[in-house]
Amino acid sequence: KSYIVIGAGILGASTAYHLAKNGAAVTIIDRKHPGQATEAAAGIVCPWLTKRRNSEWYHLVTEGARYYPTLVGSLQEDGEAETGYKKVGAINIFGEGKESMLQRKFELALERREDTPEMGSITKLSREETHALFPLLADEYSALHIGGGARVNGRAMRDALIQAAEKHGAVRVHGQAQLTHEEDEQVGVIVNGKEVVADDVLVTGGAWAKQLLEPLGLSFQVTYQKAQIIHLQTNEFQTDDWPVVMPPFGQYFLTFGNGQIVVGATAEDGVNDTRVTAGGVYEVLNKAFKVAPGFSDCEYVETKVGFRPFTPDSLPVIGKVPGYANLYTANGLGASGLTSGPFVGKELAALVMDDVTTLHLSNYDVCKALR
Ligand code: FAD
């Protein structure tokens, strides 16, 4: 069978990879919209400490985190060593006087590990130990350390997936895809003025999927949240093994090799421009400096902008689009799509190839995002 995948962020790239690896003929179409979420994303893979209590969503992110090592191994077999994934651990930090909160989180983590042993070691760290792990933090924080926490460079992972898909015969086309509709409920695809033909069409277009599906008379409910995220550089430390840092408010820091530091991020609902704003940069750095004063002496490199795609109730949808014989979609990975995306792509590929899916796809019914 043959497939067209429209949208090559982490989700489409993973879908295409799993299809191609299983012998299908795949065409990947991507427009490289400025603001692709995968390109801008931070890269935290540590879903187990979340306060969110939606079990379907939790299932996706924990399966996503669990799947990463298998995927990285599979990509390595395909000659893709640069996946940007590394298990560096994660710390949830707590200020003075918050010892009881830290203790509660510790107990919750132990409880959750019973179902998700890949969380690895769970340790309480003293102020000194915390500071030693991430020396740019103020020295007043103690922490909960999760050994199985990881980071991933979204762009590197996306590229590794696409390149490996190409090795298995996938064809990549740069351009803006449009959908056409014929009378027999078959959806067709046009890109760069030419028709592309395949048995099934898979839409993984993130924040842009609404426009793509409109010509079919579908009102697809995907909203977006603009995020501005800042990259800094230190030449003073070796940062390759530093853990991901999750402060007790909605911000985070992580590092990559060569002194690269990522500080995130704003959450601007419905804002659809890719401007780096003074207010955005101020908000992110102002909050960050309070927790990590060491950042103020780092070099400012750039601010990236991306759009987190959300479907209703912030729950992803995955499956067949009703009313069309050959149209499938997945979307709404929100703020945790680097974590869940590779796994969701694998499941979407399994669905269209009539293989066994491990998810109960009725929990992620596409109808929930259609009006
Ligand atoms: P995208 O990556 O946005 O890809 C969609 C693609 O579809 C785009 O390339 C676009 O050009 C293409 N497209 C759309 N329409 C068309 C068309 N008509 N023709 C051709 N191409 C089309 N998640 C985590 O797990 N951990 C994190 O630490 C994390 N940090 C984040 C930080 C930021 C700043 C942001 C923005 C997101 C973060 N996320 C994180 C979330 C994660 O990045 C997203 O959920 C995920 O990348 C969404 O992937 P996607 O493939 O669905 O969409």
Side-chain angles (χ1 to χ4, degrees):
K1 252 176 118 175
S2 55
Y3 302 91
I4 297 168
V5 177
I6 303 175
I10 190 82
L11 178 53
S14 171
T15 308
Y17 171 64
H18 288 94
L19 288 170
K21 191 161 172 107
N22 283 296
V26 184
T27 305
I28 309 164
I29 304 175
D30 191 79
R31 148 86 168 74
K32 294 199 170 129
H33 284 89
Q36 186 199 67
T38 303
E39 175 86 26
I44 302 171
V45 181
C46 185
W48 310 283
L49 300 181
T50 181
K51 289 192 196 123
R52 195 172 163 195
R53 297 180 78 92
N54 181 302
S55 60
E56 283 85 20
W57 172 81
Y58 187 68
H59 186 65
L60 285 188
V61 289
T62 50
E63 286 300 311
R66 176 182 294 164
Y67 182 53
Y68 255 104
T70 309
L71 177 63
V72 167
S74 166
L75 287 167
Q76 265 160 4
E77 279 171 24
D78 287 320
E80 295 297 330
E82 299 291 316
T83 59
Y85 176 83
K86 192 164 184 184
K87 222 174 247 191
V88 287
I91 53 175
N92 194 187
I93 60 170
F94 294 84
E96 276 172 74
K98 304 283 185 205
E99 289 72 18
S100 58
M101 274 172 78
L102 170 53
Q103 179 62 23
R104 280 204 299 278
K105 258 290 158 68
F106 176 66
E107 286 162 15
L108 177 74
L110 291 177
E111 211 177 283
R112 289 192 171 162
R113 189 174 58 182
E114 286 176 22
D115 293 327
T116 48
E118 59 277 11
M119 283 173 77
S121 58
I122 297 173
T123 324
K124 285 194 279 182
L125 302 182
S126 67
R127 285 163 48 176
E128 292 73 23
E129 289 167 322
T130 305
H131 193 255
L133 276 184
F134 203 106
L136 296 172
L137 287 176
D139 58 11
E140 69 206 55
Y141 295 99
S142 43
L144 174 64
H145 182 270
I146 307 293
R151 67 160 190 243
V152 64
N153 178 332
R155 180 189 193 153
M157 178 54 75
R158 175 202 66 194
D159 290 348
L161 287 163
I162 295 173
Q163 284 155 23
E166 287 178 313
K167 286 177 186 163
H168 290 286
V171 174
R172 188 190 333 198
V173 179
H174 176 64
Q176 170 109 12
Q178 286 170 293
L179 298 180
T180 59
H181 171 217
E182 289 159 27
E183 275 166 20
D184 56 355
E185 299 188 340
Q186 291 287 323
V187 171
V189 179
I190 294 178
V191 63
N192 302 330
K194 284 197 205 130
E195 192 180 3
V196 189
V197 179
D199 296 314
D200 288 342
V201 177
L202 284 64
V203 172
T204 48
W208 299 272
K210 184 177 168 56
Q211 289 129 270
L212 181 58
L213 291 164
E214 244 156 30
L216 304 183
L218 295 168
S219 178
F220 188 66
Q221 304 298 301
V222 58
T223 55
Y224 45 82
Q225 188 183 60
K226 175 178 170 183
Q228 301 186 53
I229 183 164
I230 294 178
H231 288 236
L232 305 174
Q233 172 73 34
T234 174
N235 297 324
E236 220 182 306
F237 298 97
Q238 293 295 334
T239 52
D240 193 35
D241 293 323
W242 286 12
V244 168
V245 180
M246 299 182 288
F249 50 90
Q251 256 209 342
Y252 47 78
F253 322 130
L254 64 161
T255 60
F256 290 86
N258 302 320
Q260 190 189 342
I261 300 170
V262 181
V263 184
T266 63
E268 303 164 59
D269 285 319
V271 180
N272 70 357
D273 63 66
T274 54
R275 292 179 313 139
V276 173
T277 63
V281 171
Y282 173 78
E283 179 192 325
V284 172
L285 289 183
N286 185 41
K287 281 190 195 162
F289 286 170
K290 288 183 181 143
V291 181
F295 287 163
S296 65
D297 192 42
C298 293
E299 191 180 331
Y300 168 84
V301 180
E302 63 174 331
T303 300
K304 290 191 176 189
V305 175
F307 298 106
R308 306 176 180 106
F310 284 96
T311 38
D313 300 326
S314 303
L315 183 65
V317 296
I318 310 160
K320 190 166 176 308
V321 179
Y324 294 91
N326 64 336
L327 184 62
Y328 296 82
T329 195
N331 208 321
L333 302 188
S336 47
L338 279 194
T339 306
S340 60
F343 170 71
V344 173
K346 172 178 89 70
E347 291 289 289
L348 180 61
L351 170 72
V352 299
M353 295 185 92
D354 293 327
D355 276 350
V356 181
T357 58
T358 60
L359 284 172
H360 295 295
L361 288 174
S362 56
N363 290 335
Y364 309 94
D365 193 343
V366 173
C367 291
K368 290 181 191 161
L370 288 170
R371 254 210 231 126

